[in-house]
Amino acid sequence: DLIVKYGDYDDPQRVSTPLFKDVLIPLCAPDRFEELSNGLEELAQLPLIHLNADNASWTNWKTWFSDLGYDGPIARERQVNTYTVALQAAQAGAGVVLGWKTLVDPLLAQGVLVTFGPFQVEAPASFNIYSDPDAQMSEDVRRLKSFLMQSLR
């Protein structure tokens, strides 16, 4: 009944409702890289956890660094294929991961991940809810959609 997705969804029969826009921040396990200066050049040489996503609209490390004006070499040895695995690898101390701030707020609040440096880049797209038009939804689906929108704004 509802699809929550980052970016566009190609179904002309579905209505798109923006849910939230996010920022991408570098995250790592607490105390993992505390002795470093947290500069972009230094960050680029740390073990970076790269997400090999099927969705081309997901921001990768190369794009993230470029958006901040850094075009130097970037470490590429750690690659995973799901965002959950990327976050778990960072929690285990395997390296630094790009985090969607809104999505990782609970992990930051629990202290299992911390931000690395002051850097952030606004995500190019937003998270959206795709659904039938409101008039065609059941009351339960409308309530769920309303709940999601209120809890994430």
Side-chain angles (χ1 to χ4, degrees):
D1 293 311
L2 298 176
I3 298 168
V4 177
K5 185 177 183 315
Y6 175 73
D8 295 328
Y9 180 70
D10 294 327
D11 185 347
Q13 296 177 8
R14 296 279 182 158
V15 174
S16 172
T17 305
L19 194 53
F20 65 92
K21 249 193 78 109
D22 215 341
V23 294
L24 296 149
I25 55 176
L27 305 166
C28 61
D31 304 325
R32 178 65 170 100
F33 301 109
E34 68 181 11
E35 71 281 356
L36 302 176
S37 68
N38 295 345
L40 279 177
E41 296 81 12
E42 191 172 41
L43 172 58
Q45 298 316 304
L46 292 177
L48 302 176
I49 301 168
H50 294 264
L51 176 63
N52 294 325
D54 290 335
N55 186 341
S57 65
W58 281 73
T59 300
N60 59 33
W61 277 111
K62 182 176 176 164
T63 303
W64 186 87
F65 276 110
S66 181
D67 286 350
L68 289 170
Y70 175 81
D71 290 321
I74 299 169
R76 294 214 38 95
E77 64 270 7
R78 290 180 170 83
Q79 299 187 27
V80 298
N81 61 4
T82 63
Y83 188 58
T84 303
V85 171
L87 291 174
Q88 290 170 341
Q91 289 174 56
V96 182
V97 67
L98 275 179
W100 298 85
K101 173 102 174 59
T102 302
L103 297 180
V104 300
D105 269 344
L107 299 174
L108 293 170
Q110 294 168 19
V112 296
L113 287 174
V114 296
T115 58
F116 182 92
F119 311 106
Q120 67 178 31
V121 169
E122 186 173 311
S126 63
F127 283 86
N128 303 294
I129 296 176
Y130 295 92
S131 65
D132 292 331
D134 286 351
Q136 296 175 10
M137 282 186 231
S138 71
E139 182 60 31
D140 289 341
V141 174
R142 274 196 297 277
R143 273 189 292 219
L144 176 59
K145 181 179 176 183
S146 177
F147 168 78
L148 290 171
M149 292 174 62
Q150 289 173 9
S151 64
L152 289 169
R153 286 199 173 150

